[in-house]
Amino acid sequence: MGGVNHFARRSRMNILIRNATILPMNATGGQPLHYEGNVGIEGERIAFAGSDGRQAEEFLSRHAGDCRVVEAEGKVVLPGFVNAHTHVAMSLLRGVSDDVPLAEWLEQHIWPIEGKMGRREVFDGARLGILEMLLGGTTTFVDMYPHEDAVAEAAEEAGMRAVVCPCAMDFRMAHFEEDWRRTRERVSGSRLVGTMVAPHAIYTLSEGNLRRAMELADEAGAGIHLHLSETEKEDADARERYGASPTAWFDAVGLFGRPTIAAHCVTVSEGDIRVLAERGVSVAHNPQSNMKLGSGIAPVRRMLEAGVNVAIGTDGAASNNDLDMWEEMRTASLLQKAVLRDPCAVPAYTALRMATANGAKAIGREGELGVVAAGRWPTCRSSTWGGRT
Ligand SMILES: [Zn+2]
């Protein structure tokens, strides 16, 4: 737990960032998207962000002798990224299987290895993935995996914010309930880590087991994190089995009555998009994973136009093959431009909002994270949607 102590020491520090280009990510109306200015950080909170030099002088004199000054001319200050969907421990599986479709990739390559991974491997894989994310400017991630208590421990040790989501699947329901119990214990009182329940996907869960996962989420006041409409096969199978699209089926079962993050949403119809917008479901768009597995291109612009909160995730490193949110933003923007033959389809600033402010909204921290402004949290604090019971 040495890392936590280091974080606690760091978090009391005062920092003045001077002469930076600031992208606050909360500009409205005709406000400029960026400005030249200074940011003062007091302990864990942003004390001020602005272009008035007197604020910086006042901040310096208030914290004379106890303030680190960062000269940031030519550099940009922007909120940390929220990786809205990943399986961080899969850093250990990076590159184990390329050039195969999702079902084969999961059933023949990934699940057999994951079946041999215990808590120790998940902890080590999480540490590796967290290091990669921190180096790339990601300060929050939403994870889904077995042994999520180990992911919570790794995040706390690194001083990183996370929402860890134990994964429910038919063939491991007993393990899931144990993971959920341990994870809730682990994050109880955590300043950095919260939890949600993760029903894996429509093709890995019976209705009975889905209802059990919903029951556990409700008991804890926790949200839901799932895979939704990732492939055409998933969509076709759901229509054959249930006579409904995955979105329509989950809606009929009542899943979306809870705060929900749905990863992928590649094959959603216009009707599905309306449901997602009406129920306030956040979508985690994973363009590079969808490209690698040949799943398709999510209708991101349509979802944004319909009022769906679309965030960005990398998915696990095995289906990407990295956890780089810069690449993910670039791909998200370029794919929509190419497929819609419209260079304005998802502009750069929209992609940046998806990776910051929209990610914060997806985890219930809208306006609090994902924005550079007074009162916001530049570093870390506990997370989201219950779980801190
Ligand atoms: Zn995933």
Side-chain angles (χ1 to χ4, degrees):
M1 297 298 285
V4 173
N5 293 334
H6 283 139
F7 169 70
R9 275 202 296 279
R10 277 203 308 277
S11 67
R12 283 195 292 272
M13 187 186 280
N14 303 305
I15 302 171
L16 174 63
I17 304 171
R18 266 204 299 227
N19 303 315
T21 298
I22 298 167
L23 266 162
M25 302 311 299
N26 64 351
T28 53
Q31 287 178 327
L33 302 183
H34 57 85
Y35 61 89
E36 304 302 308
N38 313 297
V39 181
I41 299 161
E42 246 164 22
E44 291 186 335
R45 265 186 192 271
I46 297 177
F48 77 92
S51 52
D52 184 347
R54 285 170 302 188
Q55 284 177 307
E57 282 166 31
E58 192 271 329
F59 186 83
L60 254 187
S61 64
R62 186 148 38 102
H63 298 293
D66 182 27
C67 185
R68 181 177 158 218
V69 179
V70 179
E71 298 294 348
E73 207 172 322
K75 296 188 168 59
V76 170
V77 172
L78 74 168
F81 301 131
V82 179
N83 185 346
H85 174 70
T86 189
H87 315 278
V88 67
M90 290 181 88
S91 293
L92 296 183
L93 280 70
R94 190 193 317 261
V96 299
S97 169
D98 293 338
D99 312 327
V100 295
L102 176 64
E104 183 187 333
W105 181 79
L106 278 174
E107 290 161 17
Q108 295 179 32
H109 302 275
I110 298 298
W111 287 342
I113 300 175
E114 287 182 336
K116 294 176 184 158
M117 287 171 69
R119 191 183 186 282
R120 176 74 215 193
E121 287 73 26
V122 170
F123 180 69
D124 288 345
R127 292 182 86 194
L128 184 62
I130 283 168
L131 182 61
E132 182 182 350
M133 286 193 281
L134 287 174
L135 286 169
T138 299
T139 51
T140 304
F141 66 100
V142 185
D143 203 64
M144 176 199 294
Y145 221 56
H147 302 292
E148 284 288 270
D149 62 307
V151 179
E153 186 182 342
E156 281 172 356
E157 190 187 272
M160 191 169 188
R161 192 183 299 111
V163 182
V164 296
C165 313
C167 187
M169 301 165 93
D170 285 341
F171 71 83
R172 57 178 308 279
M173 282 307 283
H175 288 288
F176 157 68
E177 296 217 11
E178 179 61 16
D179 283 350
W180 177 243
R181 191 187 60 73
R182 278 174 191 257
T183 302
R184 283 194 68 205
E185 262 172 41
R186 176 82 217 178
V187 306
S188 170
S190 172
R191 297 163 56 258
L192 293 170
V193 185
T195 187
M196 293 183 179
V197 169
H200 176 263
I202 193 168
Y203 56 90
T204 45
L205 268 179
S206 67
E207 183 174 340
N209 285 334
L210 173 67
R211 288 192 184 279
R212 176 62 184 147
M214 288 160 59
E215 206 175 275
L216 291 174
D218 292 346
E219 272 172 29
I224 295 290
H225 177 199
L226 82 164
H227 294 110
L228 182 66
S229 287
E230 184 171 358
T231 61
E232 280 174 2
K233 181 177 185 320
E234 174 186 335
D235 197 75
D237 289 352
R239 285 172 197 279
E240 198 183 311
R241 192 166 156 201
Y242 298 116
S245 72
T247 300
W249 185 73
F250 280 121
D251 190 41
V253 175
L255 183 74
F256 300 144
R258 299 147 194 84
T260 302
I261 300 176
H264 301 299
C265 298
V266 174
T267 61
V268 284
S269 66
E270 277 296 315
D272 292 335
I273 292 172
R274 268 198 305 280
V275 169
L276 297 175
E278 279 167 17
R279 302 285 180 262
V281 173
S282 287
V283 169
H285 175 44
N286 306 274
Q288 294 203 342
S289 172
N290 300 151
M291 288 164 71
K292 174 173 170 175
L293 293 166
S295 303
I297 300 171
V300 169
R301 186 173 71 172
R302 272 300 303 130
M303 290 194 279
L304 289 169
E305 282 171 353
V308 177
N309 180 53
V310 184
I312 293 183
T314 58
D315 213 352
S319 62
N320 189 300
N321 291 333
D322 59 53
L323 305 176
D324 184 341
M325 288 288 286
W326 292 97
E327 272 192 11
E328 221 60 37
M329 283 187 288
R330 178 174 159 82
T331 309
S333 176
L334 290 180
L335 270 183
Q336 296 298 306
K337 291 169 194 252
V339 77
L340 296 170
R341 301 184 184 193
D342 175 2
C344 305
V346 170
Y349 189 74
T350 301
L352 203 51
R353 271 195 69 86
M354 289 162 69
T356 54
N358 292 11
K361 184 174 181 181
I363 61 168
R365 305 284 295 272
E366 187 183 11
E368 190 184 358
L369 306 174
V371 169
V372 179
R376 306 321 204 275
W377 304 91
T379 51
C380 298
R381 205 185 125 221
S382 62
S383 212
T384 184
W385 298 130
R388 277 179 287 153
T389 51

